[in-house]
């Protein structure tokens, strides 16, 4: 049973209302080409999965927090994204610039796109020209930051949020800069140098926070023990904030309310991430189902 607006509606009644709204609602102007809607059964399945994940996010979050759920739509058709959009979801994540560009042309302009894949410098201009890219979560070098800053068009009125990717597990296969090991080593770390470059030399970028992709081992470990990758990212955030606060050239032009945000947690461990203090979680399979293999 679901309570809404002071009354009680059954889940079936609520779903029927959602389906009717989906078929009749007036959508914001598409960027270019109109797309087909998801079949009713697919829409229903996506709506139910999204609602379940949203509720799990709420249950795992502290009462004072307001975390962002990014629906990772890599390899999924634009019709799936549109279905989730019709259910109120606005933040979506993509791993490939070309795929993101194509989807952004078709879908509503008020979607907040998060780029969460490896950013190649030669793709910076393409990514920067997408007007509703909200955050690039995977910055790992001054080269990438400078290329992105240079590529942003003059008509963009707000800076582009960026996050620095940290390799908290130390795995060779993972992208990201090394975590900061101690307060003493913080000022000379690659991470601090990159943060300083963005804050002082990239006026079209805004340092939003840190992101990590933790190890599978930590993701599958017992909930009774803290996830060491998440703990490492939090310590790194604290060390970086300390350096930035002490640096007069950094000012307050970073983070949200004096705090760098953390993007950690995916389908298998987002609840543990939220309990550990994550501000952004990235969930794909839990919403859209298993992804098909990439076509070559």
């Amino acid at each position: 049973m679901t309570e809404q607006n002071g009354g009680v509606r059954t889940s079936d009644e609520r779903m029927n209302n959602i389906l009717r709204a989906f078929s009749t609602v007036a959508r914001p102007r598409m960027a270019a080409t109109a797309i087909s809607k998801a079949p009713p059964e697919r829409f229903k399945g996506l709506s139910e999965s999204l609602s379940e994940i949203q509720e799990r996010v709420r249950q795992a979050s502290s009462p004072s927090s307001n975390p962002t759920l990014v629906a990772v739509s890599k390899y999924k058709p634009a019709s799936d994204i549109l279905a989730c959009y019709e259910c109120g979801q606005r933040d979506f994540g993509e791993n490939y610039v070309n795929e993101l560009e194509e989807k952004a042309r078709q879908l509503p302009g008020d979607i907040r796109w998060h780029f969460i894949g490896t950013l190649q410098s030669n793709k910076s201009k393409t990514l920067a020209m997408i007007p509703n890219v909200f955050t690039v979560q995977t910055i790992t070098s001054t080269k990438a930051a400078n290329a992105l800053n240079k590529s942003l068009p003059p008509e963009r009125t707000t800076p582009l949020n960026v996050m620095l990717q940290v390799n908290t597990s130390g795995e060779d296969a993972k992208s990201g800069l090394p975590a900061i090991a101690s307060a003493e080593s913080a000022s000379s770390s690659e991470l601090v140098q990159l943060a300083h470059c963005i804050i002082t030399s990239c006026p079209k970028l805004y340092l939003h926070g840190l992101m990590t992709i933790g190890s599978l081992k930590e993701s599958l470990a017992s909930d009774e023990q803290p996830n060491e990758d998440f703990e490492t990212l939090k310590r790194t955030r604290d060390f970086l904030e300390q350096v930035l606060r002490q640096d007069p050239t950094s000012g307050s032009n970073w983070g949200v309310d004096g705090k760098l945000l953390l993007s950690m947690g995916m389908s298998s461990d987002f609840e543990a991430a939220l309990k550990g203090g994550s501000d952004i979680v990235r969930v794909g399979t839990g919403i859209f189902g298993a992804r098909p293999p990439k076509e070559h």
Side-chain angles (χ1 to χ4, degrees), residues 18-122:
I18 290 175
L19 289 170
R20 283 195 294 270
F22 174 69
S23 62
T24 60
V25 68
R27 292 194 285 273
R29 178 180 60 84
M30 299 296 179
T33 307
I35 61 173
S36 300
K37 293 185 291 186
E41 284 303 311
R42 175 63 175 164
F43 177 83
K44 180 179 179 181
L46 287 167
S47 176
E48 291 173 343
S49 296
L50 178 61
S51 294
E52 178 188 347
I53 295 296
Q54 289 171 335
E55 177 60 20
R56 289 170 62 185
V57 167
R58 189 186 69 80
Q59 292 287 347
S61 304
S62 66
S64 60
S65 66
N66 185 28
T68 298
L69 169 63
V70 175
V72 180
S73 45
K74 177 176 70 172
Y75 302 156
K76 294 300 180 181
S79 57
D80 278 6
I81 302 172
L82 184 60
C84 292
Y85 175 91
E86 298 290 359
C87 295
Q89 180 68 21
R90 291 295 181 270
D91 293 274
F92 293 89
E94 290 287 340
N95 290 65
Y96 301 102
V97 172
N98 290 347
E99 185 176 354
L100 171 53
E101 181 191 31
E102 180 180 355
K103 289 175 177 176
R105 285 200 307 265
Q106 301 176 64
L107 290 159
D110 60 336
I111 284 177
R112 293 182 290 267
W113 292 108
H114 298 249
F115 183 74
I116 57 175
T118 301
L119 178 59
Q120 300 171 327
S121 296
N122 62 349

Side-chain angles (χ1 to χ4, degrees), residues 143-162:
K143 180 180 179 181
N146 286 323
L148 197 57
N149 180 72
K150 182 179 178 181
S151 300
L152 285 165
E155 57 267 25
R156 185 179 178 107
T157 58
T158 58
L160 174 62
N161 296 319
V162 295

Side-chain angles (χ1 to χ4, degrees), residues 7-288:
V8 177
R9 297 179 181 175
T10 66
S11 296
D12 287 343
E13 288 173 336
R14 178 177 177 272
M15 184 53 62
N16 287 336
N17 288 337
I18 290 175
L19 289 170
R20 283 195 294 270
F22 174 69
S23 62
T24 60
V25 68
R27 292 194 285 273
R29 178 180 60 84
M30 299 296 179
T33 307
I35 61 173
S36 300
K37 293 185 291 186
E41 284 303 311
R42 175 63 175 164
F43 177 83
K44 180 179 179 181
L46 287 167
S47 176
E48 291 173 343
S49 296
L50 178 61
S51 294
E52 178 188 347
I53 295 296
Q54 289 171 335
E55 177 60 20
R56 289 170 62 185
V57 167
R58 189 186 69 80
Q59 292 287 347
S61 304
S62 66
S64 60
S65 66
N66 185 28
T68 298
L69 169 63
V70 175
V72 180
S73 45
K74 177 176 70 172
Y75 302 156
K76 294 300 180 181
S79 57
D80 278 6
I81 302 172
L82 184 60
C84 292
Y85 175 91
E86 298 290 359
C87 295
Q89 180 68 21
R90 291 295 181 270
D91 293 274
F92 293 89
E94 290 287 340
N95 290 65
Y96 301 102
V97 172
N98 290 347
E99 185 176 354
L100 171 53
E101 181 191 31
E102 180 180 355
K103 289 175 177 176
R105 285 200 307 265
Q106 301 176 64
L107 290 159
D110 60 336
I111 284 177
R112 293 182 290 267
W113 292 108
H114 298 249
F115 183 74
I116 57 175
T118 301
L119 178 59
Q120 300 171 327
S121 296
N122 62 349
K123 295 288 187 180
S124 294
K125 185 173 183 179
T126 302
L127 182 61
M129 294 303 292
I130 300 171
N132 53 330
V133 169
F134 182 70
T135 304
V136 176
Q137 295 197 17
T138 51
I139 299 295
T140 59
S141 69
T142 56
K143 180 180 179 181
N146 286 323
L148 197 57
N149 180 72
K150 182 179 178 181
S151 300
L152 285 165
E155 57 267 25
R156 185 179 178 107
T157 58
T158 58
L160 174 62
N161 296 319
V162 295
M163 307 187 87
L164 311 184
Q165 185 172 354
V166 181
N167 185 348
T168 52
S169 64
E171 297 171 278
D172 293 337
K174 293 276 175 60
S175 298
L177 294 173
I180 299 175
S182 66
E184 293 73 24
S185 65
S187 59
S188 60
S189 68
E190 292 180 73
L191 202 66
V192 166
Q193 293 173 26
L194 177 54
H196 184 265
C197 170
I198 291 170
I199 293 170
T200 62
S201 303
C202 299
K204 295 182 180 180
L205 305 182
Y206 186 85
L207 181 59
H208 221 205
L210 305 178
M211 175 268 214
T212 193
I213 301 173
S215 69
L216 181 62
K217 177 182 177 182
E218 287 294 326
S219 296
L220 299 177
S222 171
D223 289 341
E224 297 176 3
Q225 302 179 35
N227 184 305
E228 186 54 36
D229 290 326
F230 299 161
E231 295 301 307
T232 296
L233 192 68
K234 289 194 292 183
R235 287 194 298 270
T236 295
R237 185 266 316 274
D238 293 344
F239 290 142
L240 178 55
E241 285 182 349
Q242 182 178 356
V243 172
L244 294 178
R245 291 190 184 105
Q246 294 173 350
D247 182 359
T249 64
S250 297
S252 58
N253 192 31
W254 50 269
V256 177
D257 296 328
K259 170 189 171 187
L260 291 169
L261 302 186
L262 298 179
S263 175
M264 56 187 193
M266 299 187 289
S267 288
S268 61
D269 58 8
F270 71 88
E271 287 158 309
L274 289 166
K275 292 174 183 177
S278 184
D279 302 289
I280 303 168
V281 292
R282 313 177 304 272
V283 179
T285 302
I287 296 171
F288 296 100

